[in-house]
Amino acid sequence: MLCAIYKSSKKDETYLFVPKRDDFSDVPQALMQHFGTPSLVMVMAIKPDSKLAISDAAKVCQAMQEQGFYLQLPPPKENLLETHRRQLHQTKEQDDV
């Protein structure tokens, strides 16, 4: 399946996959408003078993067939404070043993 991949002008690390270049007719207007002006990143062929950086290619293909687009959101940001607290707690537990 051929698809065009666009980067959001408003949301970092957010990408929109559509089956046809510059065809956003299946993308809800509210989503396009939040996405901002799409900037073409690349056009590529994707198969369900393709290797993608973040998204599952089978899910991308399925979403494009069923709803006409796929929205890739950025991975959740690591909570550095929580990570630090966990490490401190683990260190304290090891010291108590």
Side-chain angles (χ1 to χ4, degrees):
M1 165 180 286
L2 196 62
C3 74
I5 305 169
Y6 294 85
K7 182 177 183 175
S8 171
S9 63
K10 291 185 175 181
K11 305 283 184 183
D12 286 340
E13 299 181 58
T14 302
Y15 296 89
L16 184 63
F17 294 64
V18 292
K20 294 179 187 168
R21 185 176 179 165
D22 297 330
D23 182 3
F24 305 102
S25 58
D26 290 329
V27 182
Q29 190 60 35
L31 173 57
M32 289 304 298
Q33 288 174 346
H34 288 298
F35 191 80
T37 304
S39 176
L40 182 66
V41 175
M42 71 175 70
V43 175
M44 67 181 287
I46 297 179
K47 298 181 209 171
D49 62 344
S50 295
K51 183 80 170 158
L52 299 177
I54 295 176
S55 296
D56 178 275
K59 290 180 182 177
V60 172
C61 292
Q62 181 179 0
M64 285 197 304
Q65 289 174 345
E66 292 177 1
Q67 59 190 29
F69 69 95
Y70 176 80
L71 181 65
Q72 177 181 293
L73 299 172
K77 301 280 184 199
E78 180 182 7
N79 183 333
L80 297 176
L81 179 59
E82 187 58 37
T83 301
H84 178 69
R85 286 179 178 160
R86 262 196 319 273
Q87 290 172 345
L88 285 175
H89 182 72
Q90 289 173 352
T91 302
K92 184 179 181 211
E93 286 180 345
Q94 290 173 357
D95 289 345
D96 289 344
V97 174

